[in-house]
């Protein structure tokens, strides 16, 4: 029992179960699932579907943080990917000989490949600045965070681009085998990364880079290359998230798409037990952390709490997690608790 309680995923799972229980208490239909028109419907399915973009970004952020880095540009990359895909697809409904046909500006596979390619370039750019140039991760990614939002606004010309091409909607709002297609995308990415981390030495290399980059290089680990490709993977994850979001809402907003997503991703990673100091990381924990955030958001909205409180609650959780992650804060707190009373010491 003690060994079980010491497992790093115990408290994230307990937190998620507690949030689900709160939702079920105030909403008796929360756990109810129904099968309609070949699809599975319910609040739990809705949480899984809406959490998909955050889970993807959190998986990429997990590996970045495992190398002692951080990527605060993922929200901007989401906006760029969504804007480029929306601009290239657009879409019109053409009727020829009485047959309605969806027509896109560019073929959908080309648009998707272009959006993911740009997201990959953004990730490589961040990795280059961190690993090759030697910039601090938060500064390097801050550059793209600011510039990327501007790039997205340039693509959309500052407007919201509406997508009319029907087949594109399947990515974010389609169903496969009764479940949202986005769930299968997330499962495929998670399975791929988990196998790469557990079946190859890549996971150990990333951990070694996060624990001590200099020692990793001396041991023969290509720390800089690993760092670059970890940021590249994070960029691709943000790109896929952008496709999901734009497909789900059938539009792209360069001003607001992916706004504050970097904060949610960092929070999800830390809630899942990954150390911000690098080294130890947990992909499963990050998935649970993302589900916690989405369930928390659902609870706030379903209970009728003003949406502004959502940000306050998230900020409070981030503040508490950051304090608990700080060794100096824990040491100060321990000294404060264990400090003997002045009168007792003299006696």
């Amino acid at each position: 029992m003690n060994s079980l309680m010491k497992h790093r995923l115990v408290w994230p799972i307990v937190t998620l179960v507690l949030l689900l229980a709160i939702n079920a208490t105030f909403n008796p239909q929360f756990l109810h699932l129904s099968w309609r028109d070949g699809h599975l419907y319910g609040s739990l399915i809705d949480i899984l579907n809406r959490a998909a973009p955050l889970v993807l970004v959190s998986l990429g952020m997990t590996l970045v943080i495992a190398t002692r880095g951080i990527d605060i540009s993922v929200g901007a990359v989401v906006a760029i990917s969504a804007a480029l895909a929306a601009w290239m697809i657009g879409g019109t409904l053409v009727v020829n000989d009485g047959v309605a046909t969806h027509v896109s500006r560019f073929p959908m596979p080309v648009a998707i490949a272009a959006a993911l390619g740009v997201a990959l370039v953004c990730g490589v750019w961040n990795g280059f600045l961190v690993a090759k140039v030697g910039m601090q991760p938060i500064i390097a990614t801050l550059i793209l965070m600011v510039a990327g939002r501007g790039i997205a606004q340039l693509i959309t010309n500052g407007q919201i681009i509406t997508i009319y091409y029907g087949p594109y909607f399947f990515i974010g709002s389609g169903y496969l085998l009764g479940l949202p297609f986005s769930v299968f995308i997330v499962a495929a990415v998670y399975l791929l990364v988990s196998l790469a981390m557990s079946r190859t030495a890549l996971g150990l290399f990333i951990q070694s880079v996060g624990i001590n980059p200099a020692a990793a290089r001396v041991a023969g680990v290509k720390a800089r290359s690993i760092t670059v490709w970890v940021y590249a993977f994070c960029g691709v994850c943000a790109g896929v998230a952008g496709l999901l979001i734009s497909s789900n809402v059938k539009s792209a907003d360069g001003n607001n798409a992916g706004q504050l997503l970097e904060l949610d991703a960092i929070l999800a990673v830390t809630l899942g037990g990954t150390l911000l100091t690098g080294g130890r990381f947990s992909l499963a924990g990050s998935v649970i952390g993302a589900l916690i955030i989405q369930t928390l958001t659902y609870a706030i909205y379903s209970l009728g709490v003003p949406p502004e409180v959502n940000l306050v609650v998230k900020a409070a959780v981030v503040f508490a997690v950051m304090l608990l992650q700080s060794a100096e804060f824990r040491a100060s707190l321990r000294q404060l608790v264990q400090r003997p009373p002045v009168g007792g010491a003299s006696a």
Side-chain angles (χ1 to χ4, degrees):
M1 186 66 181
N2 290 333
S3 60
L4 179 63
M5 294 304 296
K6 291 180 180 178
H7 196 280
R8 70 177 69 172
L9 295 182
V10 166
W11 292 113
I13 292 175
V14 169
T15 304
L16 180 59
V17 171
L18 183 61
L19 285 173
L20 293 175
I22 292 174
N23 277 290
T25 301
F26 290 95
N27 181 11
Q29 297 296 318
F30 177 73
L31 299 177
H32 178 71
L33 297 176
S34 62
W35 186 268
R36 288 180 293 174
D37 301 327
H39 301 157
L40 194 60
Y41 288 96
S43 299
L44 295 177
I45 302 299
D46 187 51
I47 289 176
L48 286 176
N49 191 22
R50 294 189 180 279
L54 178 57
V55 172
L56 286 172
V57 176
S58 299
L59 289 175
M61 187 72 77
T62 300
L63 299 187
V64 168
I65 290 179
T67 60
R68 286 192 179 186
I70 198 165
D71 189 347
I72 59 173
S73 68
V74 288
V77 177
V78 166
I80 293 174
S81 172
L84 185 59
W87 179 81
M88 293 186 69
I89 291 177
T92 55
L93 184 63
V94 178
V95 179
N96 291 326
D97 299 330
V99 179
T101 306
H102 294 285
V103 178
S104 63
R105 181 175 295 160
F106 291 89
M108 195 172 80
V110 175
I112 293 175
L116 295 182
V118 170
L120 174 64
V121 171
C122 290
V124 172
W125 167 257
N126 284 333
F128 175 78
L129 292 182
V130 173
K132 304 295 184 180
V133 180
M135 284 188 182
Q136 294 181 359
I138 193 170
I139 301 299
T141 56
L142 178 63
I143 296 172
L144 185 59
M145 178 185 178
V146 177
R149 188 66 62 180
I151 293 172
Q153 293 175 356
L154 286 174
I155 295 174
T156 62
N157 199 23
Q159 306 295 322
I160 297 177
I161 297 180
T162 303
I163 304 172
Y164 299 100
Y165 188 61
Y168 184 68
F169 304 154
F170 183 79
I171 299 176
S173 56
Y175 280 78
L176 180 65
L177 302 176
L179 293 174
F181 184 64
S182 59
V183 175
F184 290 93
I185 295 178
V186 171
V189 173
Y190 175 79
L191 184 62
L192 181 65
V193 179
S194 295
L195 289 176
M197 295 299 115
S198 59
R199 301 295 183 181
T200 69
L202 183 59
L204 291 177
F205 290 164
I206 291 176
Q207 282 188 329
S208 64
V209 172
I211 294 172
N212 192 326
R217 281 196 295 271
V218 172
V221 177
K222 296 180 179 178
R224 291 178 177 173
S225 297
I226 290 176
T227 301
V228 170
W229 288 112
V230 162
Y231 278 90
F233 173 73
C234 186
V236 172
C237 286
V240 178
L243 296 179
L244 288 179
I245 294 174
S246 62
S247 172
N248 188 267
V249 300
K250 300 177 177 56
S251 63
D253 184 358
N255 302 317
N256 298 308
Q259 197 77 268
L260 298 181
L261 191 60
E262 57 276 357
L263 175 64
D264 285 345
I266 295 171
L267 176 57
V269 173
T270 52
L271 286 175
T274 295
L275 295 178
L276 292 179
T277 52
R280 193 182 74 176
F281 68 94
S282 171
L283 295 172
S286 297
V287 174
I288 297 173
L291 293 177
I292 289 174
I293 294 174
Q294 186 58 44
T295 307
L296 176 64
T297 304
Y298 182 93
I300 290 175
Y301 288 147
S302 64
L303 295 177
V305 180
E308 294 79 6
V309 179
N310 189 358
L311 298 177
V312 176
V313 173
K314 287 180 181 177
V317 175
V318 171
F319 179 69
V321 171
M322 294 304 115
L323 284 180
L324 293 176
Q325 291 280 2
S326 170
E328 290 80 3
F329 175 78
R330 292 200 303 270
S332 300
L333 191 62
R334 194 179 303 113
Q335 290 178 359
L336 184 64
V337 173
Q338 296 177 349
R339 179 179 299 171
V342 177
S346 60

